[in-house]
Amino acid sequence: MSKPFDAEKHVDHMAEVMGLTIAPEWRQSVVDNMAATAAVAELVLAFPLDDHVEPAPVFEA
């Protein structure tokens, strides 16, 4: 089983990797946004797909 996603550690790590400086007054907002994004991604990844499903060749709204 994988470890739970730690948004704070991820933000700190990626800021270092990308050479970004996050102002202290914005840091919590960035962490909160990353946590929300991870929660949505978890829902998408948990959706079961049949092995025979193929992506649509053209997206039309």
Side-chain angles (χ1 to χ4, degrees):
M1 184 171 200
S2 63
K3 297 186 297 184
F5 180 70
D6 186 334
E8 289 193 38
K9 284 185 180 180
H10 183 73
V11 167
D12 292 340
H13 174 73
M14 291 310 296
E16 183 179 336
V17 167
M18 296 172 67
L20 298 175
T21 301
I22 300 172
E25 63 269 20
W26 288 102
R27 186 177 180 284
Q28 190 59 51
S29 293
V30 173
V31 170
D32 292 345
N33 189 295
M34 184 55 58
T37 301
V40 171
E42 189 175 321
L43 290 173
V44 171
L45 292 172
F47 188 83
L49 290 177
D50 188 281
D51 287 337
H52 302 290
V53 173
E54 295 185 22
V58 176
F59 174 78
E60 294 181 30

